[in-house]
Amino acid sequence: MTTLSVPDMSCNHCKMTVESALCSVPGVGAVTVDLTTRKVDVTGPAPVEALIKALDQVGYPATVAG
């Protein structure tokens, strides 16, 4: 599982956009968004770089949560 920090998420519209962008990446199994912590858990073998790129393309810069 990969956990991403997406600090610009603030509402359900953001959540849906982030989920949709990540689910379009090949290799993503499941996406769980937590708006309170602004973190996203992604399961599956998709490369982290592809996840971050997909979010950048829809206007939600992300980093790997430490």
Side-chain angles (χ1 to χ4, degrees), residues 6-45:
V6 188
D8 293 343
M9 288 190 305
S10 61
C11 65
N12 280 327
H13 174 70
C14 300
K15 179 181 184 248
M16 291 186 313
T17 302
V18 165
E19 286 174 338
S20 178
L22 291 173
C23 286
S24 72
V25 176
V28 169
V31 175
T32 305
V33 175
D34 185 334
L35 283 174
T36 304
T37 62
R38 296 188 171 137
K39 294 195 190 294
V40 181
D41 291 328
V42 182
T43 60

